[in-house]
Structures are given as C-alpha cells and as structure tokens.
Amino acid sequence: MPEPRSRKDAARNREAVLEAADTLFARCESPEDVTMADVAAAAGVGKGTLFRAFGDRAGLLRALYEARLEPIREAIEAGPPPLGPATPPQDRVPALLDAVLCFKLDNRRLALALEEDGTSSPYRAEHYERWHSLLRAVLEQILGPADSDFTAHALLAATRADLVEHLAGGDRTAREGMRAQLAHFVGRVLACGAPQGSSIEG
C-alpha cells in the first residue's frame, strides 16, 4: 500500500530541515548565530514543524550530527581495516581517534555547537558514550580492563571540539599536523600503558 501522505510529508520536511541546517552551520561564523527560526525559514517549514520533528535546538543538532556520522559508523561496524572490527586493536585505536578528529575538523561548527549546547554534560551525550564505549572495548585488548576506561576518556579529550576549534581556528594548525600530533600522542599513551613485552610501537 502507498505510504500515507502525512508520513511522506514528515520525512520530506525532516530532510529539508537537515539540509537547511547543514548549509547554515557550514556558513556561520559562530554556532550561536543559527537559530531555529533561521533553519525553519531556510527549509520552508513552520517553526512548529521544526519543534515537532526535533524537539528543540539540541535535538536538531544531534540529528544533523548523526546523519553526518553515519558513513563512519558503518565503516566501524562492518567495514574493512583500519576502522572495521577485524583490525588489530593496536592499529584500530589510533585509526578510530583519527576518524573522530577528521570528522570534527570537517564539521567544526556543528561539533562545537553540539558540545557547547549546555543542556547536559557532554560526557552524557549519546555520541560521546558510543565513542567511549567502543574505545574502551578496544583498549581492553591492549591495556587490560583496569586502565581502559580512564584512558578512553583521556584520549577522547584530545579530540574535543573546543580544542579542535582552538588549534584549527585560533592557532591555525594544519590538518595534517594535527593528525600527526594526535597519532604520536596516541602511540605514546599505548606504549606507556601496554604490558611489558608488547610489540606496540610509540
């Protein structure tokens, strides 16, 4: 049977809103410059439609973030190395963190807006908990369970959106320079925490 018109309209409106928000955040100088009214106007929908679909500004940010993140999630869950599950853990940890860094460099304004939204602790955000859980599980294969939880937090701290914005925007650190520095840092952390006799190189 054909899909009800209301459901088709809702899906179409949702896509229009995400596309409009994507465009506005890419152009803005500051995440705070983009309001729900701006997004509704750009998408050609009423503010009521926006709030019904996403709840509030934080909900819209999360939906847009998740839509952009989907290709990386698919690569992590079922893709080949270096992100996929068959990757040796000592190779997968730096690859995962590099993916986080590159994603935030490519989505600086959105990531900053989401992490600075202020509605709750960033460490309670669903996307953060997923990254932390994944890293912790992979780190356990290298460091053991005792140190993996804190180490996952510490490594993710090096990819926080405010730090990425400071380095890329304020200090104008080159993308490849940031990636190299992060890889070196991750290598040192893993080498220091690995059991004696491990073949991990720093």
Side-chain angles (χ1 to χ4, degrees):
M1 295 180 62
E3 189 175 18
R5 177 176 292 277
S6 60
R7 190 176 303 171
K8 287 184 178 181
D9 290 345
R12 185 165 54 247
N13 285 341
R14 182 181 177 86
E15 289 304 313
V17 167
L18 290 176
E19 184 177 346
D22 198 17
T23 300
L24 289 172
F25 275 107
R27 294 175 179 172
C28 72
E29 289 296 324
S30 171
E32 289 75 22
D33 292 341
V34 179
T35 67
M36 293 288 271
D38 294 332
V39 175
V45 301
K47 287 179 63 176
T49 298
L50 202 62
F51 283 102
R52 282 193 297 273
F54 301 99
D56 55 16
R57 186 173 186 273
L60 173 60
L61 293 174
R62 287 192 296 270
L64 182 55
Y65 192 94
E66 292 297 327
R68 290 187 181 182
L69 192 62
E70 185 60 28
I72 297 176
R73 184 182 300 112
E74 291 176 356
I76 289 170
E77 292 177 353
L83 291 179
T87 311
Q90 63 269 26
D91 297 328
R92 199 179 188 202
V93 169
L96 290 169
L97 287 158
D98 183 65
V100 177
L101 175 62
C102 288
F103 179 81
K104 291 190 177 182
L105 283 168
D106 292 338
N107 299 276
R108 280 167 53 192
R109 300 291 186 267
L110 175 60
L112 194 62
L114 187 61
E115 291 185 16
E116 291 186 347
D117 182 67
T119 55
S120 63
S121 166
Y123 303 104
R124 297 295 183 189
E126 183 181 353
H127 63 88
Y128 181 88
E129 291 183 343
R130 283 204 308 266
W131 280 118
H132 179 264
S133 178
L134 174 61
L135 269 176
R136 183 184 62 211
V138 181
L139 284 166
E140 284 182 357
Q141 301 175 56
I142 303 172
L143 309 178
D147 298 322
S148 59
D149 186 82
F150 177 79
T151 303
H153 282 303
L155 291 174
L156 284 171
T159 69
R160 276 184 55 94
D162 53 359
L163 176 59
V164 170
E165 180 64 24
H166 172 73
L167 294 175
D171 288 357
R172 300 194 179 280
T173 304
R175 180 189 185 94
E176 293 308 312
M178 291 176 65
R179 295 179 68 190
Q181 290 170 354
L182 178 62
H184 180 70
F185 172 65
V186 174
R188 293 287 296 274
V189 170
L190 295 183
C192 290
Q196 290 187 349
S198 170
S199 61
I200 296 174
E201 296 181 357

